[in-house]
Amino acid sequence: MYQYDNYDQSMVDARVAEFRDQVQRRLAGELTEDQFKPLRLKNGLYLQLHAYMLRVAVPYGTLSSRQMRMLGDIADKYDRGYGHFTTRQNIQYNWIKLEDAPDILADLASVEMHAIQTSGNCIRNTTSDQFAGAAADELVDPRPYAELLRQWSTFHPEFDYLPRKFKIAIIGSETDRAAMKLHDIGIQMVKNDAGEIGCKFFIGGGMGRTPMIAPVIGDFVPPLQMISYLEAALRVYNRYGRRDNKYKARIKILVHEIGADEYRRQVEEEFAHILTLGLEPPAAELERIKGFFEQPGFDTNASDDLDLSDPDFALWVDQNTHAHKRAGYTIVNISLKPIGGIPGDATADQIRLMADLALDYSFDELRVTHAQNIVLPHVKKADLYTIWQKLDEAGLANANLDLISDIIACPGLDYCALANARSIPVAQKISERFADLGRQRELGELKLKISGCINACGHHHAGHIGILGVDRKGVENYQLSFGGSEGADTSLGTITGPGFNEDGVVDAVEKATDVYLAQRTEGERFLDTYRRIGMAPFKEAIYAKETANG
Amino acid sequence: MKIITGNDLRTGDVIWWTGKGWSRFVNDAVAVGDDAEAIIAQQNATQVVTDTHVIDAETTADGVRPAHIKERVRALGPTVRMDLSLKPGDPAAAKWVI
Ligand code: HEM
Ligand code: SF4
């Protein structure tokens, strides 16, 4: 993992001291709320429905056990004993006091963490593949590039007041596990026929009220020009992005309005200019960073043998582990989606337990996934049974990865000031309806995603089944959509028709799964069946009663 | 009726204007009529409350009930964590919100 040098540490420490002073001045009445609000937002401190909410950055979703333990301790010391892991691979605390915020930031800084770039119209915390450095299908480890991005983007003066927030995701595998094409910029590290590494740039994706899949803008940019290319891409956006209209201010709208070809032309022109300026960080810096991401000391004799005689363990292994690049090792997914639970929430004790497991069994590393789960990236198969037992004791051995109860849900109206409807209770009811694991496995991979408003923090556009909460004359109502996806086959969901109340939408989801079970052919997932047979049969089943009533 | 709500600047707690000061319990809220703007201006100046705003509410047998669900969530707590709400022992509390 990357470790701060003196420069990183002093920058973060200085920021804590600055914020401490700002908070003091606010509490003393020397700053008004209008003056203070942008300052607190720059430090990840929002005001939500019940209290201040602190969003802590987890750069490219990577944590050490020491950092993870601190996240647990903060939940106990300053919050109400839990935290919420988000689709942005971050963690949010819901019950923060303003007077505590500087101390929390100081605690975070003591483990090389902060809440910078988690709000505002800047380049936000970069996200990445949660299996980076571990996955069997990886071509290039994206983490050194993600770290370079972090260093380049943090406090970048030119891009601190963009027309709107800006989210970058970077991956290095063929399989996209980071919803890369639904970001303002998605970067895929690829190899050409000559075996050289390059960056493929997808620019202009996003969710929100106008979801867009990013087109390819740069085919193959040499890694040592990645930053220059980003500078060019952002500069064009900064210059022409729609500052006049918040709803049209994201880069997706600019790329859409002027067209990918014209946007590309302008970026190339700017890129050619920037290359003459020598803005690219020196190659030595990238090499220095790469030094932090060497493979850990894997046991070359580790065995692939596994005793699967315990059936519950066998199910969990089958569902929640993923192929590792090294023999005798595997990737463990810890699901934060217990039946009837709150997606992404973990108690302080659970967080510390996961930290301990990482220290003892995963070379001190954890990852946060955009599906709101936690990953132990480098686990010896020989240790799996012990780990599973410890997880099970803590209520963390849910064997439901990528199944219908592995739901992404935003905080919704239970916590979020922008919400139109609650998301979490819908997730709870659906997971309860499909509580039987055998039934879930029968349904196979089924990604269900719920947002409490059109901002789409819960990725509903990209759900095989998506649910969007809307406000219908003061009453919560839920729109259902099918056919979204966020992998290599990224697509946007289509709305089924009129919305439902909370119980109605749970029933509709169940009816849709019945249609799938009846119509699927060998090997088809829900998404594949939907793509083959289209909306009509689903619609018929879901709205059957209304049709019968005329 | 119109009532005033905001957040305690220091703690972030949701609070309601009682006519004399601020309370964490919506039942203590009083109707402010046409005085809302003046009260808000005066209270903002004290710098102990933030995000002050006027909302619609009605008086029911159960006490003061904000008209919009969002304000009822604020008044009580997250419906999915009633143990953390202002009525942790009351299983019916979540129903009041909805
Ligand atoms: C609770 C406080 C939150 C607020 C106030 C908030 C606000 C917003 C807003 C305004 C947008 C739309 C931006 C646009 O389209 O221009 C948005 C999008 C988004 N937010 Fe949130 N959000 C919150 C929580 C979260 C959480 C908890 C997550 C992760 C689970 C999250 C992840 C996202 C994602 C993935 C998008 C859509 C991607 C995009 O187009 O940017 N947000 N959020
Ligand atoms: S989708 Fe809406 S309700 Fe959900 S967290 Fe985002 S802004 Fe809040």
Side-chain angles (χ1 to χ4, degrees):
Chain A
M1 272 185 65
Y2 183 73
Q3 277 165 5
Y4 278 11
D5 58 14
N6 286 340
Y7 186 78
D8 294 306
Q9 189 67 51
S10 56
M11 195 162 75
V12 171
D13 289 344
R15 187 60 177 255
V16 175
E18 181 186 58
F19 189 55
R20 193 180 290 285
D21 176 60
Q22 290 161 346
V23 169
Q24 265 159 14
R25 284 191 283 151
R26 175 71 185 114
L27 290 174
E30 291 163 26
L31 292 176
T32 64
E33 188 62 19
D34 286 348
Q35 291 166 327
F36 180 67
K37 188 174 172 186
L39 302 175
R40 72 166 155 75
L41 286 173
K42 285 271 178 203
N43 292 284
L45 196 64
Y46 292 69
L47 188 63
Q48 286 297 316
L49 287 187
H50 310 294
Y52 294 96
M53 179 275 277
L54 182 69
R55 183 182 286 166
V56 177
V58 179
Y60 37 99
T62 301
L63 290 163
S64 69
S65 63
R66 190 168 72 114
Q67 293 173 322
M68 186 74 160
R69 190 167 304 107
M70 180 59 86
L71 295 181
D73 290 346
I74 287 173
D76 261 344
K77 195 170 165 192
Y78 304 104
D79 203 89
R80 300 201 176 174
Y82 69 105
H84 179 73
F85 289 98
T86 82
T87 48
R88 297 265 316 134
Q89 298 179 303
N90 289 338
I91 184 169
Q92 293 184 179
Y93 297 103
N94 296 304
W95 303 92
I96 297 301
K97 294 179 167 52
L98 177 58
E99 53 194 0
D100 288 338
D103 290 339
I104 303 175
L105 294 187
D107 284 358
L108 287 170
S110 75
V111 294
E112 305 182 1
M113 293 183 81
H114 56 73
I116 298 161
Q117 286 175 291
T118 61
S119 175
N121 295 337
C122 61
I123 302 172
R124 301 288 187 90
N125 184 33
T126 299
T127 54
S128 186
D129 181 350
Q130 66 270 22
F131 298 162
D137 68 343
E138 184 167 275
L139 281 171
V140 182
D141 185 347
R143 290 172 303 164
Y145 302 96
E147 173 56 27
L148 192 68
L149 279 177
R150 183 190 72 80
Q151 297 189 13
W152 161 76
S153 62
T154 303
F155 302 149
H156 193 309
E158 185 178 339
F159 305 133
D160 211 26
Y161 291 96
L162 291 166
R164 198 77 179 88
K165 57 168 88 166
F166 205 90
K167 300 176 180 176
I168 303 177
I170 182 165
I171 66 169
S173 292
E174 197 47 54
T175 315
D176 173 11
R177 286 174 284 260
M180 181 255 309
K181 291 179 194 164
L182 294 168
H183 285 71
D184 296 287
I185 295 187
I187 306 172
Q188 184 177 17
M189 307 300 293
V190 293
K191 275 190 184 158
N192 64 11
D193 293 341
E196 294 156 336
I197 296 174
C199 312
K200 189 168 178 179
F201 280 87
F202 297 80
I203 307 186
M207 295 195 234
R209 71 182 58 231
T210 327
M212 302 260 185
I213 299 169
V216 176
I217 300 294
D219 259 330
F220 194 85
V221 177
L224 287 176
Q225 296 177 356
M226 178 181 80
I227 296 294
S228 302
Y229 197 85
L230 282 166
E231 289 269 349
L234 271 125
R235 215 170 249 195
V236 173
Y237 167 56
N238 209 11
R239 193 178 298 149
Y240 297 115
R242 294 280 302 270
R243 286 174 193 273
D244 60 317
N245 182 340
K246 192 177 163 181
Y247 300 120
K248 298 195 168 177
R250 296 287 290 261
I251 193 173
K252 61 190 173 189
I253 304 292
L254 176 71
V255 174
H256 183 72
E257 280 184 354
I258 67 175
D261 290 339
E262 173 58 15
Y263 175 72
R264 184 182 303 111
R265 188 193 66 73
Q266 295 192 23
V267 172
E268 306 257 298
E269 197 177 295
E270 191 67 41
F271 182 48
H273 170 64
I274 286 173
L275 286 178
T276 67
L277 301 177
L279 288 184
E280 195 67 31
E285 177 56 15
L286 184 59
E287 289 310 310
R288 184 186 79 88
I289 294 173
K290 277 186 185 163
F292 291 102
F293 296 98
E294 299 288 336
Q295 292 282 297
F298 290 118
D299 175 357
T300 46
N301 296 319
S303 161
D304 273 321
D305 291 344
L306 207 51
D307 175 0
L308 295 172
S309 53
D310 182 330
D312 289 337
F313 173 62
L315 275 181
W316 177 79
V317 170
D318 183 51
Q319 200 66 49
N320 283 38
T321 63
H322 184 93
H324 197 281
K325 58 168 77 164
R326 297 292 292 247
Y329 284 84
T330 187
I331 303 173
V332 167
N333 289 279
I334 304 174
S335 158
L336 299 182
K337 318 290 176 64
I339 297 302
I342 298 177
D345 273 15
T347 66
D349 287 338
Q350 288 177 328
I351 293 173
R352 282 185 293 251
L353 172 81
M354 292 187 275
D356 290 344
L357 291 176
L359 182 62
D360 293 344
Y361 304 108
S362 184
F363 295 96
D364 204 16
E365 265 198 57
L366 305 110
R367 310 282 171 74
V368 183
T369 84
H370 88 272
Q372 303 179 281
N373 293 318
I374 302 293
V375 163
L376 300 175
H378 308 296
V379 169
K380 223 187 217 182
K381 287 188 180 164
D383 294 328
L384 266 183
Y385 193 66
T386 313
I387 293 175
W388 174 75
Q389 283 178 310
K390 292 185 182 195
L391 288 172
D392 198 27
E393 269 169 40
L396 289 171
N398 318 294
N400 60 352
L401 193 81
D402 294 339
L403 299 180
I404 191 168
S405 66
D406 183 12
I407 297 168
I408 295 182
C410 79
L413 190 54
D414 281 300
Y415 292 100
C416 176
L418 302 177
N420 284 325
R422 292 170 303 152
S423 316
I424 297 167
V426 178
Q428 291 175 313
K429 282 193 177 170
I430 291 172
S431 78
E432 277 159 3
R433 179 74 60 92
F434 292 90
D436 181 65
L437 190 58
R439 184 177 181 197
Q440 291 187 46
R441 284 171 62 89
E442 176 65 24
L443 289 172
E445 183 186 299
L446 212 173
K447 300 196 175 178
L448 198 150
K449 303 174 199 280
I450 310 176
S451 305
C453 80
I454 194 61
N455 287 328
C457 304
H459 288 202
H460 68 276
H461 297 299
H464 299 178
I465 298 180
I467 297 176
L468 165 66
V470 295
D471 178 340
R472 225 175 59 182
K473 300 192 185 107
V475 178
E476 295 168 299
N477 194 263
Y478 298 93
Q479 275 179 3
L480 190 60
S481 58
F482 298 143
S485 174
E486 56 187 16
D489 59 349
T490 299
S491 57
L492 301 169
T494 304
I495 296 172
T496 57
F500 305 87
N501 66 15
E502 191 176 296
D503 289 324
V505 79
V506 180
D507 291 341
V509 166
E510 188 169 35
K511 286 177 192 160
T513 61
D514 290 341
V515 172
Y516 157 65
L517 288 176
Q519 302 261 5
R520 70 176 167 190
T521 60
E522 187 64 30
E524 266 185 354
R525 302 168 299 166
F526 177 92
L527 178 66
D528 305 321
T529 303
Y530 168 81
R531 283 177 175 166
R532 180 172 53 79
I533 69 176
M535 182 64 94
F538 290 95
K539 216 168 160 165
E540 208 168 295
I542 295 169
Y543 296 106
K545 215 163 87 207
E546 279 91 325
T547 321
N549 291 343
Chain B
M1 64 180 180
K2 304 274 181 208
I3 62 176
I4 299 176
T5 181
N7 293 78
D8 183 312
L9 173 67
R10 189 171 291 272
T11 64
D13 286 340
V14 174
I15 49 180
W16 309 88
W17 178 246
T18 67
K20 295 191 206 71
W22 295 94
S23 165
R24 291 187 64 202
F25 298 91
V26 69
N27 258 345
D28 298 336
V30 295
V32 290
D34 296 336
D35 299 337
E37 260 177 51
I39 297 170
I40 285 182
Q42 183 245 333
Q43 286 299 313
N44 283 350
T46 65
Q47 312 276 14
V48 298
V49 57
T50 185
D51 204 30
T52 37
H53 54 283
V54 191
I55 63 160
D56 286 316
E58 56 177 358
T59 313
T60 68
D62 294 336
V64 179
R65 182 180 167 85
H68 198 276
I69 182 171
K70 188 177 287 181
E71 297 298 337
R72 295 196 294 275
V73 173
R74 286 183 72 243
L76 199 59
T79 62
V80 292
R81 287 299 303 269
M82 276 321 209
D83 55 318
L84 304 176
S85 75
L86 285 181
K87 290 187 177 172
D90 181 357
K95 292 232 159 41
W96 177 84
V97 172
I98 307 155

